[in-house]
Amino acid sequence: MDQPNLLPLVRSKLYYLSLKPDSRYCTVLRNKFSHTLTLFFLCTYVEQWSTFFTDLFILIRPAESSSQPTYNRHISLLFFHIVLEISGEVADNMIKSARTYNAVRNTRDARVRDAVRERDAARINEAVLTIVADGTEKMSRLRKNGGSSESERELDGVVEVVDWGIRTFGSYVGMSMVRCCVFMLMLGFFRLDRHQLDRHSDNRATVVYLII
Amino acid sequence: MTVTPTTVPLLFTLLSDTSLPIRLATSLALLRIVSKGLKEPEDKLQLIKVLSLGQVIDALETTTRTQRSAGSSEIDEGEESYREALGRLLNVLGLELAKLADVCLHVSFDSSFELTLYQENANEKISSEASGMLTHILPVMLQFMADEYDDTCSTIFPLLSNLLSGVSTPLIARGLVLILSIVQTQSEDIV
């Protein structure tokens, strides 16, 4: 199947399956897709499919004609799983040390790491953190207004997105992307609210003000 | 898609979220930022200063300990795993600061214990700052060490071992003599 037809197929399958009340099939399909797309990515990036991540970001954003105000939950999770699998495949030292050394694979891993670092690392980081920030805001809103079983289910879905988003962030942050992540951390002005350190606001908490 | 300038508060918000998986994932992400961060000592120190993890971990350690004391006698394994994650994070933070400081630990065994750190690193300013930050997290390290659960207590052992390895042999001997004299005094009281 050629590249132009693959991603719309992914989108359509995940979207229609997400409408089913039983989402087990969606989860299974998403995990299968992420593994398959990862293997496909490792074979085709950069020479044949240089816009892999750009195409994925387009799927994550809600369509202009749709009523969805935020990022597509299933495609976001698919994106996180793909990045996690790629990190595990080319950068995770524990997994790499468990394998028998193979010079061809080693060369491929280095090539992919360098290419991602050079081309897509910053955008991947932006995408992950943006989706996580959006999810965090939604979590806060749902917890304040929650109560119904539907909002509980929605909250569980959002918690899953934020959880996987942070795991994805953690999977690459120690790698090549630290300089870019740290640079973004150090930009701008930010303040840490004391109540963000303490879930139970009766306790004393340290107030940290960071202004750069 | 753009990154807002609230990434650090975002991470710290998630570090104290009500969802346990999110807290655990965030502490692991912060651990990886600190441990495999920047190679230049100045940049590493700046990163650690920006994150101010020592104060954050101190506050969270106090909160989790207080909640455990106020709670039921049943073990909440989820909260214990969170305390372990905080301990591991503190351990890595301390080890990175120790590297920057390249400290040699001196303890005076007078009536009041006085803990002083001096640095041997050529870059005095970096070492001095790192030593100061390391001194500030030592009380938190002791709180984890005093935890009743072995898994939580043992998370800071690598840092403790690193610090104690800098203690010179004569001082170890003096310390042992002091401990033996205390033990002897107590055993005489018992007899």
Side-chain angles (χ1 to χ4, degrees):
Chain A
M1 176 162 297
D2 57 278
Q3 171 194 332
N5 290 328
L6 181 60
L7 286 181
L9 173 67
V10 168
R11 188 197 339 229
S12 67
K13 290 296 178 194
L14 283 175
Y15 176 71
Y16 288 115
L17 283 173
S18 72
L19 297 178
K20 287 180 183 289
D22 184 355
S23 64
R24 282 178 307 168
Y25 300 109
C26 195
T27 304
V28 168
L29 189 63
R30 184 185 64 223
N31 291 345
K32 288 287 183 189
F33 258 126
S34 69
H35 185 65
T36 307
L37 281 175
T38 299
L39 296 174
F40 199 65
F41 167 83
L42 291 172
C43 294
T44 59
Y45 190 77
V46 161
E47 292 81 18
Q48 290 163 278
W49 198 354
S50 58
T51 59
F52 180 90
F53 286 108
T54 311
D55 294 337
L56 209 49
F57 297 154
I58 293 170
L59 282 182
I60 294 173
R61 285 194 192 99
E64 286 174 10
S65 58
S66 81
S67 57
Q68 276 186 317
T70 56
Y71 305 109
N72 186 303
R73 175 178 158 249
H74 294 284
I75 307 289
S76 300
L77 286 168
L78 175 68
F79 166 59
F80 292 151
H81 278 79
I82 289 172
V83 174
L84 274 165
E85 294 223 23
I86 293 171
S87 298
E89 193 65 33
V90 305
D92 190 313
N93 288 326
M94 202 186 307
I95 294 175
K96 284 156 76 72
S97 62
R99 291 191 188 124
T100 311
Y101 178 78
N102 181 308
V104 172
R105 186 204 291 271
N106 200 48
T107 308
R108 181 209 65 186
D109 290 350
R111 178 181 57 77
V112 168
R113 272 199 310 272
D114 291 342
V116 171
R117 208 178 274 150
E118 200 181 299
R119 299 170 55 88
D120 292 301
R123 280 181 295 165
I124 292 171
N125 185 52
E126 278 184 41
V128 168
L129 290 176
T130 304
I131 295 168
V132 168
D134 179 70
T136 304
E137 209 179 321
K138 254 184 121 172
M139 269 189 332
S140 175
R141 213 167 46 240
L142 285 167
R143 281 169 179 156
K144 271 187 201 157
N145 305 330
S148 66
S149 58
E150 196 184 319
S151 61
E152 285 294 322
R153 261 200 312 275
E154 196 182 343
L155 177 62
D156 288 344
V158 177
V159 166
E160 188 187 8
V161 170
V162 173
D163 178 19
W164 280 101
I166 287 295
R167 288 190 211 198
T168 306
F169 180 75
S171 75
Y172 61 69
V173 78
M175 205 187 4
S176 58
M177 305 193 58
V178 173
R179 284 197 179 272
C180 127
C181 297
V182 168
F183 182 65
M184 282 192 259
L185 291 178
M186 290 183 181
L187 281 178
F189 298 93
F190 42 88
R191 181 172 73 87
L192 187 65
D193 192 314
R194 65 184 296 156
H195 296 300
Q196 289 174 333
L197 286 173
D198 185 1
R199 289 180 283 122
H200 301 277
S201 58
D202 293 336
N203 296 337
R204 285 182 292 117
T206 303
V207 178
V208 178
Y209 289 90
L210 305 170
I211 300 175
I212 291 182
Chain B
M1 296 180 181
T2 56
V3 176
T4 68
T6 56
T7 305
V8 169
L10 173 66
L11 288 173
F12 287 158
T13 298
L14 295 174
L15 190 60
S16 59
D17 192 75
T18 52
S19 165
L20 177 64
I22 289 177
R23 279 185 275 150
L24 294 177
T26 309
S27 71
L28 184 57
L30 284 166
L31 188 149
R32 285 178 175 161
I33 290 174
V34 174
S35 65
K36 288 192 180 182
L38 306 163
K39 302 294 182 194
E40 295 298 321
E42 300 87 354
D43 293 341
K44 174 62 77 72
L45 186 67
Q46 184 63 19
L47 170 66
I48 292 173
K49 281 163 71 175
V50 165
L51 290 175
S52 286
L53 268 178
Q55 293 166 280
V56 173
I57 297 174
D58 187 6
L60 290 171
E61 191 281 325
T62 305
T63 304
T64 51
R65 183 165 31 89
T66 310
Q67 284 166 5
R68 188 170 66 188
S69 308
S72 67
S73 57
E74 284 181 18
I75 301 168
D76 185 339
E77 290 191 3
E79 291 307 312
E80 289 311 318
S81 66
Y82 179 51
R83 274 184 66 81
E84 280 177 52
L86 291 175
R88 278 192 290 271
L89 185 53
L90 183 80
N91 177 64
V92 165
L93 172 67
L95 287 173
E96 292 299 321
L97 287 171
K99 273 187 225 168
L100 291 170
D102 193 22
V103 296
C104 184
L105 184 67
H106 278 252
V107 180
S108 65
F109 287 90
D110 296 329
S111 54
S112 60
F113 272 82
E114 214 174 284
L115 198 73
T116 55
L117 302 168
Y118 73 82
Q119 49 79 25
E120 293 174 342
N121 194 294
N123 194 328
E124 287 192 17
K125 188 170 180 296
I126 292 174
S127 293
S128 170
E129 279 193 70
S131 296
M133 292 168 76
L134 187 55
T135 307
H136 279 117
I137 69 169
L138 291 180
V140 191
M141 182 193 79
L142 290 174
Q143 289 292 352
F144 279 112
M145 204 167 110
D147 196 283
E148 56 182 311
Y149 295 106
D150 293 343
D151 291 341
T152 306
C153 173
S154 61
T155 54
I156 50 85
F157 282 179
L159 172 59
L160 183 63
S161 172
N162 183 286
L163 293 174
L164 290 177
S165 65
V167 179
S168 61
T169 309
L171 285 170
I172 293 173
R174 283 173 61 190
L176 285 172
V177 166
L178 179 67
I179 290 167
L180 283 170
S181 65
I182 292 169
V183 169
Q184 193 174 12
T185 309
Q186 286 177 345
S187 59
E188 280 170 3
D189 288 343
I190 292 168
V191 168

